[in-house]
Amino acid sequence: MKVEVINHPLINLYMTILRSKDTQSTKFRSLARKISSLMAFEIFKDLRVLPKTIETPLEKYNGVKLNDPKPCVISILRAGLIMSEGITDIFDVVSIGHIGMYRDEQTLKPINYVRKLPSDLKNRQCYLCDPMLATGGSAVSAIKTLKDHFATDIKLICLLASDPGIKRVQDSFPEVEIICAQKDNKLNENGFILPGLGDAGDRIFET
Ligand code: PRP
């Protein structure tokens, strides 16, 4: 399936500041949110809408309304929260789901600790937010969870994706489209994206 790297000068400008080790938490948070907002334009370009005719003060206008059921934005906690905030700053007629997991620092395997999703994800457009697609373990596990809840239409949205992470998701779920602000090609021995931006969660929440 398709991988889309949004190659936009504004996003590249913000990503450069985001990646810098000199960028402190407050600025990192606001930039990550802003980049996610900018990505919304691309993320929702195939948002399902239906025709709707309204009256302007002068005459009829053939516009659109949102399809039912409304889409769902799901964040992988913790760092995904900032993305769902940035995205819903732009478009908020969505349900919001949470999947809590962290990556065990030794095994690099995702550990699940919470799951709150709308009861039925069938026929919904699901936008899964994970700022970093490193080994891909967290994203693959989260996609499995969404599929267990009958999701059929899933897009994975990342600030930064690595080639190995993209490959892992594509090997497991070739039907899932990946949209990322930028892409790097490798990981270090600890599973961090290189050149990357460090640990997104720690930088966002200053932990
Ligand atoms: C980070 C990041 C992703 C995951 C990516 O989360 O936000 O969710 O790691 O790694 P992977 O592709 O190798 O699975 P982290 O475990 O640091 O949790 P946090 O968001 O709570 O900081």
Side-chain angles (χ1 to χ4, degrees), residues 108-174:
L108 301 185
K109 297 235 164 63
I111 314 288
N112 288 275
Y113 57 87
V114 73
R115 173 185 308 173
K116 286 280 175 192
L117 295 165
S119 57
D120 187 1
L121 294 179
K122 203 172 166 200
N123 299 323
R124 285 186 198 250
Q125 292 183 284
C126 293
Y127 300 89
L128 176 65
C129 302
D130 189 3
M132 308 293 285
L133 180 61
T135 66
S138 306
V140 164
S141 169
I143 293 168
K144 273 193 196 127
T145 300
L146 296 182
K147 291 206 170 245
D148 289 345
H149 285 71
F150 308 107
T152 50
D153 182 347
I154 304 170
K155 277 190 176 44
L156 175 62
I157 318 298
C158 309
L159 295 181
L160 190 56
S162 73
D163 280 329
I166 290 171
K167 182 170 184 318
R168 178 137 173 218
V169 172
Q170 284 185 322
D171 286 348
S172 305
F173 301 107

Side-chain angles (χ1 to χ4, degrees), residues 3-49:
V3 179
E4 182 176 347
V5 182
I6 304 177
N7 189 17
H8 189 285
L10 204 47
I11 288 184
N12 293 343
L13 199 62
Y14 288 156
M15 283 295 291
T16 304
I17 307 170
L18 195 79
R19 285 171 181 268
S20 167
K21 67 177 169 46
D22 297 326
T23 300
Q24 301 303 308
S25 190
T26 308
K27 180 77 179 165
F28 190 97
R29 217 177 287 149
S30 75
L31 275 174
R33 187 168 176 152
K34 208 176 271 188
I35 295 165
S36 306
S37 294
L38 289 170
M39 289 179 75
F41 201 69
E42 204 55 33
I43 294 166
F44 291 122
K45 77 175 175 215
D46 63 351
L47 188 67
R48 286 200 288 267
V49 290

Side-chain angles (χ1 to χ4, degrees), residues 76-80 101-104 108 110 113 130-139 165 191 199-202 205:
I76 300 183
L77 306 179
R78 293 171 301 166
M101 62 175 66
Y102 64 89
R103 200 171 64 156
D104 182 280
L108 301 185
Y113 57 87
D130 189 3
M132 308 293 285
L133 180 61
T135 66
S138 306
D199 184 315
D202 286 347
F205 299 108

